[in-house]
Amino acid sequence: ALRSKQWYQRRVRGRNEQTLVKNCREVVFERELQQAEDPGLDAVLLKKCGIAIGLYCSESRPEDTLTCLESHLKKQGVTPECRKTVKQRMKKEHSNYRLNPALSQACGEDIKALCSPILGKLNAGTIADGEGAVISCLKDQMSKVSVTCEDQITILLEQEVSDYQLDPILVKRCEGDIKTICGGRREDEVEGCLRDHISDIKSIDCTKQVIRLVAEAHGDVHLDPVLLRACQEDISYVCPRSDHAKGQIIECLQATQKRDKSALSHTCSSMLDARLAMWSAAFKRAKEYDSALEMVDDLYQAIESSKHKHELLAYLFIAVILIVLLSFCGGRWSKPKPMSKLY
């Protein structure tokens, strides 16, 4: 009887602790939500970034304080403590769409229409609210979202290029490959490193994330800082009216190279050749996973329109033939015996 009583007391105590933790989390999240909507309520942010706010954000509305600080992180007067605090707030914005008021407002209808299965899992508690699932869903559906929502997602993507740690799903699924392939790289170099070494990535989950990165950078040259630096002058000269967010700049550069390679600088032309090879490698990896094929439609078009398309597609054709042959041979070796011989 004594043991039964002790077991019952421990069980009740455990349930009470779980309830307390859940209630505490809800209170903390409610407070974070209020601070996200009005950073003026964020006492820690105001204390750590008082100097930077005075220098750069004194004329901003209170609700725009965090956005203002995000755009001035690399400026003089922003202390390491302030930078660290702002990065912590940014990680929350990238992990939970509800803590990003601008995104929530711009993408509210898109989330309901395109990400309802994710919302169902969130409500059921099968996935955590702060793992970036909804934002990841919006990235995957980028071609289907509204213009205002696309603008907000683009802001997130540009921030993630500057610091890969802002992308919670990339960090989670590529942790091992980042250490192995891109160890020692700066925060703003990791995404580019992963894209450049897509053929060396071992993890399937990480490969799919990097395929997404390649597709995103192909759609917006500003998400590929290395290509942008190499072709900055060429872009202003041959593609001044192109829309960078719709892939028009890269299309323009490719068309110019195909028409007259000498019209581009050697640096830009060489980097564009390197990017064609990278897009080809990403397309090849995507063919291994049906779920990733939809993301690389534009990459195929880029390869198709390239002056090197025959060479690149030849590599892809050989790879597909090898896969088919291996699958055929594997099927022959593992062919089951006829049913009549089993009895």
Side-chain angles (χ1 to χ4, degrees), residues 52-182:
I53 292 173
L55 288 173
Y56 304 112
C57 307
S58 58
E59 297 182 1
S60 299
R61 298 180 302 174
E63 58 268 28
D64 296 331
T65 301
L66 181 59
T67 303
C68 174
L69 289 171
E70 291 172 359
S71 63
H72 293 87
L73 272 186
K74 296 182 179 180
K75 298 285 185 66
Q76 291 183 350
V78 180
T79 64
E81 283 188 341
C82 174
R83 190 173 293 110
K84 181 179 178 181
T85 303
V86 173
K87 283 290 183 71
Q88 290 172 344
R89 303 301 186 269
M90 291 175 71
K91 285 182 179 180
K92 292 178 180 179
E93 287 182 336
H94 286 248
S95 298
N96 192 327
Y97 77 100
R98 295 173 62 192
L99 295 177
N100 188 329
L103 180 75
S104 297
Q105 182 175 358
C107 300
E109 295 302 318
D110 300 272
I111 291 171
K112 293 177 183 177
L114 302 173
C115 305
S116 55
I118 302 296
L119 294 177
K121 291 180 180 180
L122 287 172
N123 294 331
T126 55
I127 58 175
D129 206 13
E131 294 182 350
V134 172
I135 293 177
S136 178
C137 170
L138 291 173
K139 291 176 184 176
D140 292 341
Q141 306 281 345
M142 189 79 158
S143 62
K144 301 177 182 178
V145 301
S146 62
V147 175
T148 54
C149 182
E150 182 181 356
D151 291 341
Q152 289 300 317
I153 298 172
T154 299
I155 291 173
L156 297 185
L157 293 175
E158 291 177 352
Q159 291 174 343
E160 289 169 0
V161 168
S162 299
D163 185 355
Y164 79 98
Q165 295 179 355
L166 295 176
D167 187 339
I169 293 183
L170 181 71
V171 170
K172 180 178 180 180
R173 297 183 181 175
C174 294
E175 182 179 6
D177 291 288
I178 289 173
K179 289 180 180 178
T180 304
I181 300 172
C182 305

Side-chain angles (χ1 to χ4, degrees), residues 2-73:
L2 179 60
R3 288 183 179 178
S4 298
K5 182 179 180 180
Q6 290 175 341
W7 173 84
Y8 178 76
Q9 289 175 340
R10 286 196 301 269
R11 186 174 181 182
V12 171
R13 189 183 305 116
R15 287 180 176 176
N16 289 339
E17 289 175 354
Q18 291 176 359
T19 302
L20 181 61
V21 169
K22 182 181 178 181
N23 291 340
C24 183
R25 286 177 180 171
E26 290 175 352
V27 171
V28 170
F29 180 75
E30 187 63 31
R31 184 175 181 180
E32 290 178 341
L33 195 59
Q34 293 174 354
Q35 292 173 347
E37 293 173 352
D38 184 0
L41 301 176
D42 191 338
V44 175
L45 181 70
L46 297 178
K47 180 180 180 180
K48 300 289 185 181
C49 298
I51 296 175
I53 292 173
L55 288 173
Y56 304 112
C57 307
S58 58
E59 297 182 1
S60 299
R61 298 180 302 174
E63 58 268 28
D64 296 331
T65 301
L66 181 59
T67 303
C68 174
L69 289 171
E70 291 172 359
S71 63
H72 293 87
L73 272 186

Side-chain angles (χ1 to χ4, degrees), residues 214-215 217-218 224 227 250 254 272 274-284 296 299-300 302-303:
V214 173
H218 177 265
D224 189 345
L227 178 62
I250 291 179
Q254 281 188 266
L272 198 58
R275 285 300 178 260
L276 283 168
M278 181 182 71
W279 299 334
S280 177
F283 183 75
K284 179 180 176 181
V296 293
L299 297 185
Y300 179 80
I303 295 170

